[in-house]
Amino acid sequence: MTQQAGSSRLLREINESAALSLLLERGPLTRGDLRELTGLAKPTTSDVMRRLQEAGLVRVVGRTSGGPGPNADIYDVNPDAAYAAAVSLQEKDSTLVTAVCDLAGEVRARVTTKLHDDPVRSVGEAVQVACQKARVPRKRLDHVQLGVPGAHHDGTIRYVDVPGWSRPGLIGDIRARLRTQVSVDNDVNLAAAAERSRGIAREADSFALLWLGEEGLGLGIDLGGTILRGARGGAGEIGYMPVGLPQRDGVHDFQDLVGGPAILALAREHGIETERAATAATHAVLHSALATRIAVGIAAVVAVLDPALVVLAGEVGQAGGPALADAVGAALRDLSVLETEVAATGLTEDAVLLGALDTTLTAVRTALLDRR
């Protein structure tokens, strides 16, 4: 009898999880839609939807009309059933950009706050301000995703130039402050996740996202929808990749070749005076020289990974747009025998924050389905 009861309970949980998953993926559905998609019997589907409504996870959002047969209730997830937050550390202006979203993925609030000397206080206050603006109690947050310009491994952030953020035990302290699940990932990895879900890489089997920022470089590596992070979280730290022989012409690594200061120096060589690398990247006269430098780094990536697509992102990649991407593609063909498409990012918003939102929402939904 105990075994039968346990089996029955497990079957109910599986059915509930299947129905909830379909609503999360496809949006509003009728019980008829759910029966067709799950293969469940009519009484079973009705029972599943009743239990999900009683649990506060699903609600009726309308009724069908105008078709054959009686009108039917239309179900959707209850957006207030769970909340998540995304926090992006902006190194260039010492700020945190924080967003809070509901279970349906709607962003309820987005705020920008200044950093304090204490990262724990900075994150805690940023999340609190965002929750207040969203009118969501902070204790209702089920997950917080941090995006940082560094590599996270064993609770420590490495290669980050913001004071205090490389302190051992920092992430554990942030979790204790927020009293919820906290995950950390490299900002460029999160940008790649956004490019996969929202940008031009949605149909790509695999791709590499080269982040050309005014402050630094990075590489997000997506292999079949999975981000490659490496043994210590350092995969994609392409700025440290040696270029040429040591001490030759003052160029030691890829950062020296196409980092923000290098682009500004290259602009001055071409008679262009500007204080921003992104602005310099918009000048057609620079495209050939800059494209050749970028192609040198991409050629190494292509030789090792052979991705189907390379996306140019970051302030410089976004400002250069399709013209710079075309020039890099042409230069790459002169350096590599492998045919790899090069394209400008398809995102115009903050790609890191978008990727962090996608990641934190996935974590919340996965945990919710697991609990069912």
Side-chain angles (χ1 to χ4, degrees):
M1 182 67 70
T2 302
Q3 183 177 1
Q4 290 178 347
S7 300
S8 177
R9 183 169 60 250
L10 176 61
L11 185 59
R12 288 198 302 269
E13 292 168 354
I14 291 173
N15 292 338
E16 291 170 14
S17 179
L20 185 59
S21 180
L22 285 168
L23 288 170
L24 288 169
E25 292 174 5
R26 305 195 179 205
L29 298 169
T30 65
R31 277 181 290 184
D33 296 328
L34 289 165
R35 286 199 303 273
E36 182 177 345
L37 292 168
T38 61
L40 296 175
K42 185 175 181 179
T44 303
T45 304
S46 298
D47 194 36
V48 165
M49 299 315 295
R50 177 184 57 78
R51 289 197 301 271
L52 289 175
Q53 282 184 279
E54 291 175 350
L57 299 176
V58 166
R59 63 181 183 177
V60 175
V61 295
R63 289 180 64 82
T64 61
S65 61
N71 296 343
D73 288 335
I74 301 174
Y75 296 90
D76 202 358
V77 295
N78 178 8
D80 294 314
Y83 299 95
V87 182
S88 174
L89 173 59
Q90 306 286 315
E91 182 180 352
K92 63 180 180 180
D93 54 6
S94 299
T95 60
L96 291 174
V97 180
T98 306
V100 173
C101 68
D102 58 30
L103 184 61
E106 180 184 352
V107 175
R108 296 289 186 91
R110 173 175 170 168
V111 299
T112 300
T113 55
K114 297 295 292 184
L115 290 177
H116 301 295
D117 292 337
D118 179 12
V120 177
R121 178 188 169 196
S122 296
V123 175
E125 291 186 1
V127 171
Q128 182 64 40
V129 170
C131 285
Q132 288 175 345
K133 185 176 181 180
R135 297 183 178 179
V136 173
R138 195 180 71 176
K139 64 182 180 180
R140 290 289 312 278
L141 289 181
D142 291 288
H143 189 269
V144 175
Q145 176 68 52
L146 291 179
V148 297
H152 176 245
H153 179 65
D154 288 344
T156 301
I157 303 172
R158 296 176 172 84
Y159 320 123
V160 60
D161 294 328
V162 184
W165 283 78
S166 59
R167 174 174 64 81
L170 172 64
I171 305 307
D173 292 342
I174 291 176
R175 289 192 182 105
R177 172 69 179 259
L178 297 179
R179 297 182 180 180
T180 192
Q181 294 295 316
V182 177
S183 298
V184 189
D185 204 351
N186 172 262
D187 52 0
V188 180
N189 286 342
L190 294 172
E195 201 72 53
R196 162 68 74 181
S197 63
R198 304 168 183 250
I200 63 171
R202 280 173 287 190
E203 303 301 324
D205 177 63
S206 63
F207 74 97
L209 182 139
L210 178 61
W211 184 271
L212 298 163
E214 294 190 327
E215 297 293 328
L217 306 175
L219 187 74
I221 305 165
D222 179 301
L223 302 177
T226 299
I227 299 294
L228 179 64
R229 294 179 173 82
R232 290 166 294 278
E237 293 292 339
I238 197 172
Y240 298 112
M241 182 177 70
V243 177
L245 297 175
Q247 305 300 324
R248 184 176 180 178
D249 299 327
V251 175
H252 304 162
D253 55 31
F254 197 43
Q255 175 72 28
D256 295 328
L257 202 60
V258 295
I263 294 176
L264 293 178
L266 187 62
R268 287 191 292 270
E269 290 178 13
H270 287 76
I272 301 170
E273 293 297 331
T274 176
E275 296 180 355
R276 294 179 60 84
T279 302
T282 63
H283 288 267
V285 69
L286 271 183
H287 281 179
S288 178
L290 179 57
T292 298
R293 293 186 177 200
I294 295 172
V296 168
I298 293 179
V301 172
V302 168
V304 175
L305 299 176
D306 189 21
L309 171 69
V310 174
V311 179
L312 303 185
E315 296 94 342
V316 174
Q318 193 175 67
L324 179 60
D326 290 344
V328 172
L332 182 62
R333 287 190 289 273
D334 292 335
L335 294 174
S336 175
V337 298
L338 299 175
E339 297 182 2
T340 303
E341 180 185 359
V342 179
T345 176
L347 302 174
T348 57
E349 299 181 61
D350 184 340
V352 177
L353 189 67
L354 291 177
L357 280 168
D358 289 344
T359 303
T360 193
L361 185 59
T362 297
V364 167
R365 289 177 172 181
T366 299
L368 192 62
L369 291 171
D370 288 344
R371 288 199 295 269
R372 297 311 303 167

